[in-house]
Amino acid sequence: MPEIIARTATADYPIFIQQGALDHLGERVAASCQGRRTVIVTDDQVGPLYLERVSASLKAAGFNCGEAIVPAGEGSKNPERLAFLYARFHETGLSRTDPVIALGGGVVGDLAGFAAATWLRGVPLVQVPTTLLAQVDSSVGGKTAIDLPQGKNLVGAFYQPRLVVMDPAVLHTLSRRFMADGMAEVIKYGLIGDEALLDQIEQQAYDLEWVVARCVRSKIAVVARDEKDSGERMLLNFGHTVGHAIEKATGYAAFSHGEAVAVGMVMAAAIGEKLGETDPGTGDRIRRVLEAYQLPVQADVPLQALLPAIFSDKKRLGSRIHYVLLRRPGEAFLKPMTPNELSAVLGEVWPRG
Ligand code: NAD
């Protein structure tokens, strides 16, 4: 069973990836945290599937467990649900050494993570990710946030977990759409720095535990070198500038995050090929692998509707947008572009431009 140690400037923590890990969660949390009270935060789809097992394991290890169940979906990443979590922490008597357990996908991880970062100025956080996206991406690296009416992830904190426990077996209950969603991020890891992973995904001959571990190792390596997202960590945003813009322009309804990122990766390859920066044929290879996982390769959205969101991207530094491009599959780099340069090349490659 892989036990991976994440090392960042602010914290080192173990990541366990193991079939059946949910049943050993209590022992692991007890070994990492002093407190013996906890609140398990989950959503109303994950709760019925896994809360009882997690709670039983924590109780067996001597924890007094409170629960906070929020409605499933992005709509729960808001200040009202955050206040609900604080109320549950207060009722349970959560003190500075008592951990918060985030049992769920990226929504629960981000919401519970931000609540843990801010309750009593920070209590231990244990991430127990249950979607492929949360296992390969959101549960490690320490980004936590909630949304505001003005935009997604506007209020948040960099706050590393004390411990991350992943049970690949829980992915068997995940819907096909959310599985594909996470696969878009897996393909992204392959494209930006791990061609061997991409090969396995293309051949559809992989072991999920191996894939999760491989992606986690890639992410923590990048986060170790750039915890606060000022340089290399931006490479993890490959496909995300256009992806976020598609999500925003379509009201976060028509495309899931992974679907939007899939289109964004195709566009980034097209831009790179047009500029002569990316090996010819890269875009075709990306399209083939995305289609094999039932992910979209284009979006029926006018380019004009995307440009405002592209130019307000958080990854903008000064007057330039640092666009993530590929030299070839397995090698990414940041290309600074002015808004004019970017909109000109996008106009050439966007199918409905
Ligand atoms: P999600 O948390 O909404 O989960 C997707 C759906 O799957 C939900 O309905 C959930 O109830 C259900 N589900 C979860 N696990 C399940 C399981 N094992 N079996 C059956 N159903 C299950 O969505 P997500 O895609 O995991 O996360 C998206 C969120 O992650 C977004 O808010 C995004 O901003 C955030 N995110 C954060 C980071 C970060 O670094 N913090 C990175 C990427 C994305």
Side-chain angles (χ1 to χ4, degrees):
M1 168 236 346
E3 178 191 342
I4 302 169
I5 305 291
R7 299 189 195 284
T8 73
T10 55
D12 293 352
Y13 52 94
I15 301 166
F16 295 97
I17 305 171
Q18 182 190 21
Q19 302 280 339
L22 288 192
D23 300 315
H24 303 283
L25 182 68
E27 307 144 39
R28 300 214 186 281
V29 179
S32 300
C33 304
Q34 285 170 12
R36 284 298 173 267
R37 280 178 200 278
T38 182
V39 173
I40 307 165
V41 181
T42 191
D43 72 30
D44 59 12
Q45 284 181 26
V46 176
L49 294 169
Y50 301 112
L51 181 56
E52 213 174 291
R53 269 172 71 194
V54 164
S55 179
S57 170
L58 287 159
K59 283 177 183 157
F63 283 93
N64 177 336
C65 294
E67 293 166 1
I69 301 174
V70 300
E74 185 71 27
S76 279
K77 269 175 60 173
N78 66 29
E80 291 74 31
R81 295 292 164 204
L82 181 67
F84 163 70
L85 296 200
Y86 292 148
R88 299 295 294 131
F89 295 173
H90 182 67
E91 283 161 26
T92 311
L94 216 61
S95 74
R96 289 290 280 278
T97 56
D98 294 324
V100 167
I101 315 287
L103 172 68
V107 164
V108 164
D110 277 11
L111 172 70
F114 186 59
T118 46
W119 180 249
L120 304 179
R121 300 192 182 88
V123 295
L125 168 65
V126 178
Q127 291 277 12
V128 187
T130 63
T131 61
L132 182 57
L133 178 134
Q135 294 195 348
V136 300
D137 188 1
S138 60
S139 64
V140 290
K143 283 191 188 176
T144 71
I146 60 165
D147 304 332
L148 292 182
Q150 292 84 350
K152 249 185 80 125
N153 294 330
L154 282 184
V155 182
F158 284 100
Y159 191 68
Q160 300 294 344
R162 180 67 60 92
L163 168 73
V164 185
V165 177
M166 306 188 185
D167 186 344
V170 302
L171 301 178
H172 294 307
T173 55
L174 199 58
S175 68
R176 190 210 62 78
R177 191 173 185 205
F178 280 109
M179 204 58 200
D181 205 52
M183 202 46 90
E185 296 289 345
V186 172
I187 292 167
K188 177 199 78 179
Y189 281 111
L191 288 169
I192 64 172
D194 188 350
E195 200 180 2
L197 170 65
L198 185 65
D199 289 341
Q200 294 285 307
I201 296 297
E202 285 174 328
Q203 291 163 27
Q204 308 218 7
Y206 57 82
D207 168 66
L208 213 42
E209 194 169 318
W210 178 85
V211 167
V212 169
R214 191 101 182 174
C215 294
V216 165
R217 284 183 205 280
S218 289
K219 176 145 189 188
I220 62 171
V222 172
V223 172
R225 293 190 289 262
D226 177 22
E227 185 176 6
K228 299 277 167 73
D229 214 357
S230 55
E232 190 186 349
R233 191 166 181 174
M234 287 197 269
L235 297 179
L236 296 172
N237 287 308
F238 178 61
H240 283 60
T241 302
V242 162
H244 281 150
I246 292 172
E247 284 184 278
K248 197 167 181 185
T250 55
Y252 297 98
F255 291 82
S256 70
H257 178 71
E259 289 166 349
V261 167
V263 177
M265 293 194 288
V266 173
M267 279 303 110
I271 291 171
E273 288 190 34
K274 181 62 80 181
L275 296 175
E277 303 267 14
T278 302
D279 281 359
T282 301
D284 288 340
R285 185 171 173 190
I286 296 177
R287 251 184 242 105
R288 278 196 301 275
V289 65
L290 293 173
E291 283 173 346
Y293 288 90
Q294 287 86 46
L295 285 158
V297 295
Q298 67 177 64
D300 190 7
V301 183
L303 179 57
Q304 288 307 320
L306 302 182
L307 290 178
I310 289 174
F311 295 145
S312 67
D313 192 85
K314 274 187 290 192
K315 274 61 199 181
R316 186 175 171 149
L317 294 179
S319 61
R320 285 169 183 247
I321 292 150
H322 282 90
Y323 211 92
V324 188
L325 295 181
L326 299 182
R327 294 240 179 267
R328 60 191 64 80
E331 192 181 335
F333 69 102
L334 291 173
K335 166 99 177 158
M337 281 192 270
T338 64
N340 282 347
E341 287 165 346
L342 181 56
S343 55
V345 68
L346 265 171
E348 289 185 62
V349 299
W350 189 255
R352 299 175 61 87

